[in-house]
Amino acid sequence: MARTASLSGFPEWLPQERLVELHVLDTLRKTFELHGFSSIETRAVETVGQLLRKGEIDKEVYGLSRLQDDDGESAKPNGSDKADPNALALHFDLTVPFARYVVENAGYLAFPFRRYQIQKVWRGERPQEGRAREFTQADIDVVGDGDLPFRYDVEIALVIAEALGALPIPDFRLRINNRKLAEGFYRGIGLTDTAGVLRSIDKLEKIGADKVAGLLKSELGATEEQARLALQLAGIRTEDASFVQQVRALGVTDDLLEEGLNELEQVIQAVVQRAPGKVVADLSIARGLDYYTGTVVETVLVGHEQLGSICSGGRYDALASKGNRKFPGVGLSIGVTRLVSRILSQELAVATRSVPTAVLVALNADESWSAAQDIAAQLRGRGIATEVAAKAEKFGKQIKFADRRGIPFVWFTDDDGKHQVKDIRTGEQVDADPAIWTPSEEDLHVRVTTA
């Protein structure tokens, strides 16, 4: 892994590391497309008003400003601490821009609309492993027009379980809850500021149960008993649908609670059936963002929990709207850069070579460069990545060049037109015909292997 960066929080990978990242991206893309998700890309910038309309904290947002005004003079800050809602800023996630995209293009989309999006995003984070200021996310969402069947909540969880299962990463767990369940429970015990309770519960892993109880009592007016019950609910974790009985044993009744219990039970049962061992019903998962309305998900790597969630999201019924027209959706976002950083730092997977090239065509003489290009074209025409040496040095030097590049084969042609190819790893050299020779499947393309 690249050891130092000239600008903290903006990771840059070495070529061999980039090949690992590309493998992750290609795997996700293929999985998403197998499930019928279409790729889109939204612009990198939004207005500040658009980005912050759902209450995101402005310290996470990078604003855009011109270095020069229209007269070529240096632009000067206006001195105001208040963000202009019409100013431009880099997007900090892909969900808010996607909501705008749906509204603006609703007349051209077929609903339910299944989309995946893999792009860079920017946040004003304090740089550390797993947190960068510029990073790549991979999102999938299904959005409906007016309504969206709950079954899509189940499907999204299954797609993500399949996608993560295909990556060179440690074991993982989808930790799933339902906001209706939580809000109905809080309402049932007399806590009416359910959004405030959720924000406090969302801090449970960071500050602990005692401090969360203190927040519930001091900021939301909860009694000792209400705080105790809220924390009891958050303490329920099961790997099957037995959480339903545990919740009901707490003696709280509410219609919204029952609806959330039923929805969460459906998701858990489906994932247990199709991706056994990959899911936990975790009733402490709250997701602090206000736009979530049902299923909520966070995902951790087993043994790497300190890295934080590597995939999160959920159901949102009111994020996108146009007049009286609503576009409910459900989606999850994978933190690709966070995953790749951990894969590289822990050497969980490596690329089999540092370049795509499988063959270097050596030169007998500088005059043979054009003929060597013809050989390379034949090989490339059959999907074999090939380079041609730049000058006719001694063959030993050309072989060393291939070795430094990580190229496994060197192609030779003598003055009589006889072709041979050498595997520089083993020293084996055999006759070859550029019209039919092909390396083994393992050597044809760069592969990413787990440690």
Side-chain angles (χ1 to χ4, degrees), residues 70-94:
D70 292 334
D71 297 323
E73 299 294 329
S74 296
K76 302 201 172 42
N78 59 20
S80 173
D81 292 331
K82 188 175 182 180
D84 177 358
N86 296 313
L88 297 180
L90 294 169
H91 58 218
F92 55 80
D93 76 356
L94 300 178

mmCIF file of all heavy atoms in Angstrom, residues 70-94:
data_model
loop_
_atom_site.group_PDB
_atom_site.id
_atom_site.type_symbol
_atom_site.label_atom_id
_atom_site.label_comp_id
_atom_site.label_asym_id
_atom_site.label_seq_id
_atom_site.Cartn_x
_atom_site.Cartn_y
_atom_site.Cartn_z
ATOM 1 N N ASP A 70 -14.981 37.442 -13.159
ATOM 2 C CA ASP A 70 -15.132 37.593 -14.605
ATOM 3 C C ASP A 70 -14.138 38.572 -15.213
ATOM 4 O O ASP A 70 -13.882 38.540 -16.419
ATOM 5 C CB ASP A 70 -16.557 38.044 -14.943
ATOM 6 C CG ASP A 70 -17.575 36.953 -14.654
ATOM 7 O OD1 ASP A 70 -17.173 35.762 -14.694
ATOM 8 O OD2 ASP A 70 -18.741 37.279 -14.393
ATOM 9 N N ASP A 71 -13.557 39.446 -14.379
ATOM 10 C CA ASP A 71 -12.587 40.419 -14.880
ATOM 11 C C ASP A 71 -11.160 39.922 -14.762
ATOM 12 O O ASP A 71 -10.221 40.658 -15.035
ATOM 13 C CB ASP A 71 -12.731 41.741 -14.109
ATOM 14 C CG ASP A 71 -14.103 42.367 -14.323
ATOM 15 O OD1 ASP A 71 -14.616 42.264 -15.458
ATOM 16 O OD2 ASP A 71 -14.645 42.933 -13.358
ATOM 17 N N GLY A 72 -10.996 38.675 -14.326
ATOM 18 C CA GLY A 72 -9.658 38.120 -14.177
ATOM 19 C C GLY A 72 -9.010 38.458 -12.855
ATOM 20 O O GLY A 72 -7.862 38.094 -12.604
ATOM 21 N N GLU A 73 -9.719 39.171 -11.977
ATOM 22 C CA GLU A 73 -9.179 39.510 -10.666
ATOM 23 C C GLU A 73 -9.390 38.347 -9.709
ATOM 24 O O GLU A 73 -10.302 37.532 -9.870
ATOM 25 C CB GLU A 73 -9.876 40.752 -10.112
ATOM 26 C CG GLU A 73 -9.705 41.996 -10.958
ATOM 27 C CD GLU A 73 -8.255 42.451 -10.993
ATOM 28 O OE1 GLU A 73 -7.543 42.233 -9.994
ATOM 29 O OE2 GLU A 73 -7.840 43.030 -12.014
ATOM 30 N N SER A 74 -8.558 38.275 -8.678
ATOM 31 C CA SER A 74 -8.723 37.223 -7.676
ATOM 32 C C SER A 74 -10.062 37.403 -6.987
ATOM 33 O O SER A 74 -10.427 38.495 -6.559
ATOM 34 C CB SER A 74 -7.594 37.282 -6.636
ATOM 35 O OG SER A 74 -6.360 37.012 -7.244
ATOM 36 N N ALA A 75 -10.799 36.281 -6.888
ATOM 37 C CA ALA A 75 -12.090 36.343 -6.204
ATOM 38 C C ALA A 75 -11.866 36.451 -4.708
ATOM 39 O O ALA A 75 -10.952 35.855 -4.147
ATOM 40 C CB ALA A 75 -12.897 35.086 -6.525
ATOM 41 N N LYS A 76 -12.708 37.246 -4.037
ATOM 42 C CA LYS A 76 -12.540 37.461 -2.604
ATOM 43 C C LYS A 76 -13.764 36.942 -1.866
ATOM 44 O O LYS A 76 -14.896 37.091 -2.337
ATOM 45 C CB LYS A 76 -12.334 38.949 -2.322
ATOM 46 C CG LYS A 76 -11.135 39.527 -3.059
ATOM 47 C CD LYS A 76 -10.657 40.763 -2.426
ATOM 48 C CE LYS A 76 -9.343 41.252 -3.028
ATOM 49 N NZ LYS A 76 -9.227 41.168 -4.457
ATOM 50 N N PRO A 77 -13.550 36.325 -0.711
ATOM 51 C CA PRO A 77 -14.700 35.836 0.058
ATOM 52 C C PRO A 77 -15.562 37.000 0.513
ATOM 53 O O PRO A 77 -15.081 38.096 0.746
ATOM 54 C CB PRO A 77 -14.041 35.113 1.241
ATOM 55 C CG PRO A 77 -12.676 35.707 1.359
ATOM 56 C CD PRO A 77 -12.269 36.085 -0.030
ATOM 57 N N ASN A 78 -16.865 36.726 0.636
ATOM 58 C CA ASN A 78 -17.771 37.812 1.011
ATOM 59 C C ASN A 78 -17.847 38.039 2.517
ATOM 60 O O ASN A 78 -18.548 38.935 2.972
ATOM 61 C CB ASN A 78 -19.180 37.556 0.442
ATOM 62 C CG ASN A 78 -19.768 36.235 0.950
ATOM 63 O OD1 ASN A 78 -19.325 35.702 1.972
ATOM 64 N ND2 ASN A 78 -20.745 35.710 0.224
ATOM 65 N N GLY A 79 -17.164 37.174 3.277
ATOM 66 C CA GLY A 79 -17.104 37.378 4.714
ATOM 67 C C GLY A 79 -18.304 36.842 5.472
ATOM 68 O O GLY A 79 -18.348 36.899 6.685
ATOM 69 N N SER A 80 -19.288 36.320 4.782
ATOM 70 C CA SER A 80 -20.476 35.810 5.451
ATOM 71 C C SER A 80 -20.260 34.380 5.917
ATOM 72 O O SER A 80 -19.677 33.572 5.207
ATOM 73 C CB SER A 80 -21.677 35.857 4.494
ATOM 74 O OG SER A 80 -22.789 35.218 5.071
ATOM 75 N N ASP A 81 -20.732 34.065 7.127
ATOM 76 C CA ASP A 81 -20.627 32.713 7.648
ATOM 77 C C ASP A 81 -21.773 31.839 7.175
ATOM 78 O O ASP A 81 -21.746 30.624 7.319
ATOM 79 C CB ASP A 81 -20.616 32.731 9.191
ATOM 80 C CG ASP A 81 -19.357 33.369 9.736
ATOM 81 O OD1 ASP A 81 -18.330 33.282 9.045
ATOM 82 O OD2 ASP A 81 -19.416 33.948 10.835
ATOM 83 N N LYS A 82 -22.808 32.445 6.619
ATOM 84 C CA LYS A 82 -23.990 31.696 6.196
ATOM 85 C C LYS A 82 -23.843 31.281 4.748
ATOM 86 O O LYS A 82 -23.547 32.082 3.876
ATOM 87 C CB LYS A 82 -25.250 32.542 6.380
ATOM 88 C CG LYS A 82 -26.525 31.757 6.136
ATOM 89 C CD LYS A 82 -27.736 32.606 6.461
ATOM 90 C CE LYS A 82 -29.020 31.806 6.258
ATOM 91 N NZ LYS A 82 -30.224 32.620 6.577
ATOM 92 N N ALA A 83 -24.074 29.972 4.495
ATOM 93 C CA ALA A 83 -23.910 29.459 3.143
ATOM 94 C C ALA A 83 -25.025 29.960 2.238
ATOM 95 O O ALA A 83 -26.197 29.960 2.612
ATOM 96 C CB ALA A 83 -23.905 27.931 3.169
ATOM 97 N N ASP A 84 -24.651 30.395 1.060
ATOM 98 C CA ASP A 84 -25.619 30.804 0.047
ATOM 99 C C ASP A 84 -26.276 29.541 -0.506
ATOM 100 O O ASP A 84 -25.577 28.669 -1.048
ATOM 101 C CB ASP A 84 -24.896 31.564 -1.054
ATOM 102 C CG ASP A 84 -25.823 31.967 -2.194
ATOM 103 O OD1 ASP A 84 -27.022 31.625 -2.152
ATOM 104 O OD2 ASP A 84 -25.320 32.609 -3.141
ATOM 105 N N PRO A 85 -27.604 29.400 -0.428
ATOM 106 C CA PRO A 85 -28.253 28.170 -0.894
ATOM 107 C C PRO A 85 -28.083 27.939 -2.383
ATOM 108 O O PRO A 85 -28.268 26.814 -2.863
ATOM 109 C CB PRO A 85 -29.720 28.378 -0.518
ATOM 110 C CG PRO A 85 -29.880 29.850 -0.350
ATOM 111 C CD PRO A 85 -28.574 30.354 0.154
ATOM 112 N N ASN A 86 -27.741 28.986 -3.133
ATOM 113 C CA ASN A 86 -27.539 28.835 -4.569
ATOM 114 C C ASN A 86 -26.086 28.582 -4.951
ATOM 115 O O ASN A 86 -25.784 28.365 -6.127
ATOM 116 C CB ASN A 86 -28.056 30.073 -5.307
ATOM 117 C CG ASN A 86 -29.554 30.253 -5.149
ATOM 118 O OD1 ASN A 86 -30.310 29.306 -5.313
ATOM 119 N ND2 ASN A 86 -29.976 31.466 -4.810
ATOM 120 N N ALA A 87 -25.201 28.627 -3.961
ATOM 121 C CA ALA A 87 -23.794 28.338 -4.227
ATOM 122 C C ALA A 87 -23.629 26.859 -4.562
ATOM 123 O O ALA A 87 -24.472 26.032 -4.219
ATOM 124 C CB ALA A 87 -22.954 28.709 -3.006
ATOM 125 N N LEU A 88 -22.531 26.539 -5.222
ATOM 126 C CA LEU A 88 -22.279 25.152 -5.610
ATOM 127 C C LEU A 88 -21.344 24.472 -4.611
ATOM 128 O O LEU A 88 -20.446 25.105 -4.053
ATOM 129 C CB LEU A 88 -21.665 25.096 -7.008
ATOM 130 C CG LEU A 88 -22.525 25.633 -8.150
ATOM 131 C CD1 LEU A 88 -21.777 25.511 -9.464
ATOM 132 C CD2 LEU A 88 -23.858 24.902 -8.218
ATOM 133 N N ALA A 89 -21.576 23.184 -4.407
ATOM 134 C CA ALA A 89 -20.734 22.399 -3.507
ATOM 135 C C ALA A 89 -20.612 20.985 -4.055
ATOM 136 O O ALA A 89 -21.475 20.509 -4.804
ATOM 137 C CB ALA A 89 -21.324 22.372 -2.096
ATOM 138 N N LEU A 90 -19.527 20.314 -3.696
ATOM 139 C CA LEU A 90 -19.328 18.923 -4.099
ATOM 140 C C LEU A 90 -20.284 18.022 -3.318
ATOM 141 O O LEU A 90 -20.480 18.211 -2.121
ATOM 142 C CB LEU A 90 -17.885 18.497 -3.830
ATOM 143 C CG LEU A 90 -16.808 19.195 -4.660
ATOM 144 C CD1 LEU A 90 -15.429 18.880 -4.098
ATOM 145 C CD2 LEU A 90 -16.892 18.777 -6.118
ATOM 146 N N HIS A 91 -20.846 17.029 -3.997
ATOM 147 C CA HIS A 91 -21.768 16.142 -3.275
ATOM 148 C C HIS A 91 -21.012 15.272 -2.268
ATOM 149 O O HIS A 91 -19.897 14.834 -2.522
ATOM 150 C CB HIS A 91 -22.613 15.294 -4.228
ATOM 151 C CG HIS A 91 -21.851 14.426 -5.180
ATOM 152 N ND1 HIS A 91 -22.246 14.221 -6.491
ATOM 153 C CD2 HIS A 91 -20.729 13.682 -5.036
ATOM 154 C CE1 HIS A 91 -21.417 13.390 -7.078
ATOM 155 N NE2 HIS A 91 -20.491 13.050 -6.219
ATOM 156 N N PHE A 92 -21.639 15.054 -1.109
ATOM 157 C CA PHE A 92 -21.021 14.278 -0.028
ATOM 158 C C PHE A 92 -21.569 12.863 0.027
ATOM 159 O O PHE A 92 -21.107 12.034 0.809
ATOM 160 C CB PHE A 92 -21.227 14.969 1.331
ATOM 161 C CG PHE A 92 -22.668 15.261 1.644
ATOM 162 C CD1 PHE A 92 -23.501 14.279 2.130
ATOM 163 C CD2 PHE A 92 -23.173 16.528 1.441
ATOM 164 C CE1 PHE A 92 -24.825 14.548 2.407
ATOM 165 C CE2 PHE A 92 -24.505 16.811 1.720
ATOM 166 C CZ PHE A 92 -25.339 15.812 2.204
ATOM 167 N N ASP A 93 -22.603 12.561 -0.740
ATOM 168 C CA ASP A 93 -23.074 11.204 -0.928
ATOM 169 C C ASP A 93 -23.736 11.138 -2.292
ATOM 170 O O ASP A 93 -23.731 12.121 -3.039
ATOM 171 C CB ASP A 93 -24.011 10.767 0.211
ATOM 172 C CG ASP A 93 -25.417 11.349 0.115
ATOM 173 O OD1 ASP A 93 -25.680 12.178 -0.794
ATOM 174 O OD2 ASP A 93 -26.264 10.980 0.937
ATOM 175 N N LEU A 94 -24.293 9.981 -2.648
ATOM 176 C CA LEU A 94 -24.932 9.839 -3.951
ATOM 177 C C LEU A 94 -26.452 9.784 -3.857
ATOM 178 O O LEU A 94 -27.138 9.817 -4.881
ATOM 179 C CB LEU A 94 -24.417 8.571 -4.652
ATOM 180 C CG LEU A 94 -22.901 8.532 -4.917
ATOM 181 C CD1 LEU A 94 -22.517 7.211 -5.577
ATOM 182 C CD2 LEU A 94 -22.457 9.709 -5.771
#
